[in-house]
Amino acid sequence: MRNQSKFSKLISIEGVVILTAFVLMVIFFSLKADSFLIPDSIRYYINEAVPIFIIIVGLTFVIIAGGIDLSIGSVLGLSAGTSLMVSMWGWPFWVAVIVGVSTGLAFGLLNAVIITIFKVNDFIVTLGTLYIAAGSLTVLTDKVQLTGTEDASFQRISDLSFLGLTSSIWIAIVIIVVFELVLLKSPFGRRIFATGIGEVPALISGINTQRTKFVAYLISGGLAGFGGVLLASHLNSVQSGLAGGYELTAIASAVLGGISLAGGRGSVWRAIVGALFLTTLNQGLLLMGIDPLIFQIVTGLCILIGVIVDRGVYKFTLTFSTQTREVNSRSRDGEVVSS
Amino acid sequence: MTPNSAVDNSSNSLRNRVLQDPSFGIVSLLITVIIAMTILEPSFATSGNVTNIINAMMTVSFLAIGMTVVLIAGGLDLSVGSTMAVTAGVAGKFIAYGMPMGVAFMWSLAIGVGIGLINGLLITKLGIPDFIATLAMLGIGQGVILFWTQGVPILGYMNDAYYYIGGLEKIVGPISVPMIVVVVISVVMAIVLKRTKFGLELYAVGSSPISARNAGVNTHAIKISAYAISGLFAAVAGIHIAGRTTTIPPLIGKGYEISAIAAAVIGGASLLGGKGRIIGALIGALTLTLTRNIINLIGIESSWQAIVTGSVLIAAVLANRASAGFSRKRLRRMNT
């Protein structure tokens, strides 16, 4: 009995499951693929994944507040297009950054207004804006050839090297740390958690839940815009369909990191570990010579496995680590029926 | 009560029934738009264009009927587009390998139902939120068809019979096979929804799963069947679209889930469950197809299609909400 409670205590520490899985996977791949642990290759694929890390931060806010944002992927693509276009017109790099971030903010605002003011299902609204943003990028690339800017300072935003890492990795680290602190230490972060745990209790205790959600969608849109700027600066060319499907990867990462899609549970670093897990898995499979076309299947399966494992662990810790076993099992049952 | 007042009453109720029909607004809008386009745009009412509209409408209709069934049961199926692509791929590849057509179609339909069953089991037995389970299935399905075809469009499966199935060859006059299939499926599903115990249970599960369960309905079985029906119709759509396009690009199903949801919602289905009609799904499919056709005719490039579809979806959901609020207000006024 004592043993079991120790094990359940360990497993109930946030993020232990995904970290263990991550470490095991790294060990597996380093034995299987020789070039897996070369620092250059690690730096390379992490650098490629930076835009995804950045949109996951925003998505984490939205999911913890009890919402969902599917539009982030194509908003990121569109922002990459607009910022590169402005840079190609000869504007200085900071104007391009502002334009890219504003594009993201505009879509965040659109989502936020329709979801919180008109009270429409968040999932459908962001699916609609996903197609609007993706379509806008198609129209934009039809009109303008976004083949690259001559402005070197725009390209330097992402590719400057500092202490062995590129500037986009440093920017991602700063964003992750700042937003994690905001989420965990600031009153706004506590309002996000309260809104996600239960809108009615949060409302009763004086939290403006709709405004909290509104800001969460704005953050998600703004970060998607900034991620787009980094991607445009890194690739220096934008085609139609860029970053389509990133939302699938982002949701999979959040789910793998144990962020509850019901809201109210999670943190930024766990979602990032989820993203590291997914990108490392893809890289490892690639180095083992497996067809990259299979990655989408892997991502989809990871979403399912992540949700199932998370529910299992949550149920397990509820049943074994607390004294109020029957109360919990009853409340879980009610939840299953209502969902 | 005099006979006169009874007659008065019944004519009043007929008028009320037309006016209070949930699709009254969208149908009158459609009629206005069709009349306006016929007058303003000479190429709109030509037989070629009408055939085009009807042919393009079929694919969305199949998906929208399945989506309506799932929405009535209180779920949501995002995987329809990718299921359609996979089943189209199965039909095309198997026929290209030399399998008899009927057997290939059976495989297609079985795989569609299988994907639907998996969705339903994931959602009910493992308690995964419906949109996450079907979103994952969307990714998996798309990955499977990409991996299987290696990104190369599927060719070499078209034969004489397939031209009829895709609606490119007509049977009699303007009547084509897909039209007959849509009508048959619609009539059957409308009867199932309105006249059978299963239909009643679907609405019950969607309106309130807890009360339905307390009333003895097997909510899990009902939901699983709803997803299986959606998978089946996605496979029908897959078989049809393979014939309509004569090649199957791997990403053929991309974006169809949003069209299907938009069509169902325009037709009066609610994302909260418990509402929706088959005729509504058809009206929604017609609305979407007409919108796209008109965009093409008035000379807007086809690259705008995604933007328009996304906007139509959001507008439909907003209108749905507004009309629900409106009828609630009217009900309150009538009660007081």
Side-chain angles (χ1 to χ4, degrees):
Chain A
M1 211 52 207
R2 206 178 177 81
N3 247 342
Q4 193 169 40
S5 86
K6 245 184 199 163
F7 176 65
S8 65
K9 248 181 208 157
L10 183 70
I11 211 172
S12 66
I13 300 171
E14 301 208 324
V16 158
V17 178
I18 182 70
L19 269 178
T20 318
F22 182 64
V23 170
L24 288 178
M25 185 182 64
V26 168
I27 294 171
F28 173 79
F29 279 132
S30 46
L31 294 178
K32 283 281 176 187
D34 301 329
S35 49
F36 182 70
L37 278 181
I38 297 172
D40 271 348
S41 107
I42 295 176
R43 261 201 297 263
Y44 175 77
Y45 81 77
I46 300 273
N47 192 33
E48 294 292 306
V50 160
I52 290 184
F53 290 152
I54 289 175
I55 56 174
I56 284 170
V57 175
L59 183 68
T60 308
F61 273 69
V62 173
I63 294 181
I64 293 179
I68 187 85
D69 191 347
L70 292 180
S71 66
I72 42 178
S74 41
V75 168
L76 185 141
L78 178 64
S79 308
T82 53
S83 65
L84 188 63
M85 182 179 73
V86 169
S87 179
M88 280 167 66
W89 286 347
W91 291 87
F93 77 95
W94 53 271
V95 177
V97 174
I98 291 173
V99 167
V101 174
S102 319
T103 311
L105 279 176
F107 272 89
L109 186 68
L110 184 65
N111 287 333
V113 167
I114 302 178
I115 293 167
T116 62
I117 297 178
F118 294 106
K119 307 260 178 354
V120 180
N121 182 308
D122 43 13
F123 183 70
I124 294 299
V125 172
T126 53
L127 189 65
T129 46
L130 184 163
Y131 278 89
I132 294 177
S136 308
L137 182 62
T138 314
V139 172
L140 183 70
T141 47
D142 257 19
K143 299 256 184 297
V144 200
Q145 289 290 317
L146 297 172
T147 43
T149 170
E150 275 101 57
D151 183 9
S153 53
F154 183 71
Q155 294 174 41
R156 270 207 299 274
I157 299 174
S158 67
D159 292 344
L160 213 63
S161 200
F162 179 66
L163 292 181
L165 296 176
T166 59
S167 49
S168 55
I169 294 182
W170 283 112
I171 291 171
I173 291 173
V174 169
I175 286 180
I176 290 164
V177 170
V178 167
F179 279 90
E180 179 77 320
L181 288 177
V182 168
L183 185 62
L184 298 183
K185 300 288 178 205
S186 76
F188 171 69
R190 278 194 286 280
R191 284 203 290 275
I192 292 261
F193 275 102
T195 306
I197 290 169
E199 280 205 36
V200 177
L203 264 176
I204 291 169
S205 52
I207 292 169
N208 188 340
T209 53
Q210 295 306 321
R211 191 194 290 162
T212 311
K213 274 196 163 178
F214 194 99
V215 178
Y217 281 106
L218 271 186
I219 291 176
S220 175
L223 284 177
F226 189 67
V229 174
L230 286 185
L231 188 62
S233 146
H234 177 59
L235 296 176
N236 202 15
S237 85
V238 171
Q239 299 92 27
S240 154
L242 180 75
Y246 274 27
E247 67 281 346
L248 208 63
T249 318
I251 291 174
S253 309
V255 166
L256 282 174
I259 294 178
S260 165
L261 291 164
R265 214 151 51 81
S267 59
V268 173
W269 76 267
R270 283 165 62 190
I272 296 296
V273 174
L276 275 174
F277 180 88
L278 212 54
T279 45
T280 311
L281 181 63
N282 281 357
Q283 174 73 3
L285 292 176
L286 194 70
L287 289 179
M288 282 174 68
I290 289 167
D291 192 331
L293 286 173
I294 215 166
F295 292 163
Q296 209 170 5
I297 308 178
V298 173
T299 312
L301 285 177
C302 278
I303 295 182
L304 292 180
I305 294 168
V307 178
I308 294 167
V309 169
D310 181 56
R311 287 187 77 94
V313 169
Y314 191 63
K315 232 178 196 167
F316 179 81
T317 52
L318 271 187
T319 359
F320 287 104
S321 67
T322 56
Q323 301 300 311
T324 52
R325 185 167 161 177
E326 301 202 342
V327 177
N328 279 328
S329 64
R330 203 184 306 148
S331 77
R332 292 300 293 176
D333 195 18
E335 213 172 284
V336 168
V337 171
S338 68
S339 68
Chain B
M1 199 180 267
T2 61
N4 194 14
S5 83
V7 170
D8 208 44
N9 216 1
S10 78
S11 78
N12 190 26
S13 84
L14 183 71
R15 204 187 73 202
N16 268 354
R17 260 175 64 189
V18 173
L19 284 179
Q20 286 177 350
D21 191 275
S23 298
F24 176 72
I26 185 72
V27 171
S28 36
L29 183 70
L30 277 183
I31 293 173
T32 320
V33 168
I34 290 173
I35 292 173
M37 282 302 289
T38 315
I39 296 168
L40 295 175
E41 183 67 52
S43 56
F44 177 72
T46 56
S47 70
N49 190 47
V50 171
T51 323
N52 259 346
I53 294 176
I54 292 175
N55 251 339
M57 181 190 151
M58 294 303 138
T59 319
V60 183
S61 301
F62 292 125
L63 298 176
I65 291 172
M67 186 65 77
T68 302
V69 173
V70 172
L71 284 175
I72 289 173
L76 183 67
D77 190 350
L78 280 181
S79 66
V80 285
S82 100
T83 306
M84 182 180 88
V86 170
T87 49
V90 168
K93 279 257 179 187
F94 282 10
I95 291 172
Y97 290 154
M99 193 183 269
M101 209 167 181
V103 185
F105 287 172
M106 281 299 147
W107 272 108
S108 232
L109 295 175
I111 286 170
V113 173
I115 294 175
L117 284 177
I118 295 173
N119 279 333
L121 288 171
L122 287 171
I123 290 160
T124 56
K125 299 296 176 198
L126 292 173
I128 301 177
D130 38 24
F131 72 84
I132 289 300
T134 52
L135 186 70
M137 198 52 84
L138 184 161
I140 295 171
Q142 228 168 51
V144 165
I145 187 81
L146 268 175
F147 181 63
W148 191 24
T149 60
Q150 292 292 309
V152 182
I154 302 171
L155 292 164
Y157 59 87
M158 289 303 284
N159 52 28
D160 290 346
Y162 222 138
Y163 280 102
Y164 282 100
I165 291 165
L168 298 177
E169 294 275 352
K170 309 282 179 286
I171 313 172
V172 190
I175 308 284
S176 65
V177 175
M179 281 184 212
I180 297 171
V181 178
V182 164
V183 169
V184 169
I185 285 180
S186 304
V187 170
V188 169
M189 283 315 293
I191 291 172
V192 166
L193 287 183
K194 291 290 173 207
R195 296 270 179 269
T196 64
K197 181 160 165 264
F198 172 71
L200 194 67
E201 286 176 341
L202 266 180
Y203 282 101
V205 169
S207 310
S208 168
I210 297 177
S211 339
R213 199 181 68 162
N214 289 346
V217 177
N218 186 346
T219 53
H220 283 185
I222 296 293
K223 267 206 156 176
I224 295 172
S225 349
Y227 282 100
I229 290 172
S230 172
L232 175 71
F233 290 155
V236 174
I239 291 172
H240 162 68
I241 202 170
R244 186 160 74 84
T245 54
T246 66
T247 62
I248 308 168
L251 293 179
I252 194 169
K254 215 172 180 187
Y256 268 98
E257 66 282 350
I258 191 172
S259 303
I261 297 171
V265 171
I266 291 170
S270 163
L271 295 162
L272 302 172
K275 274 171 74 184
R277 300 186 303 172
I278 298 302
I279 182 79
L282 297 180
I283 293 170
L286 179 64
T287 313
L288 274 183
T289 322
L290 259 185
T291 318
R292 285 195 187 152
N293 187 264
I294 290 171
I295 290 170
N296 280 342
L297 283 186
I298 60 180
I300 300 174
E301 293 114 88
S302 58
S303 51
W304 282 81
Q305 265 190 12
I307 302 181
V308 171
T309 315
S311 312
V312 167
L313 174 73
I314 291 179
V317 185
L318 277 176
N320 201 322
R321 271 209 82 81
S323 78
F326 177 70
S327 57
R328 211 179 304 130
K329 260 184 211 151
R330 195 167 52 185
L331 202 67
R332 209 177 298 141
R333 215 182 305 133
M334 277 160 75
N335 284 344
T336 50

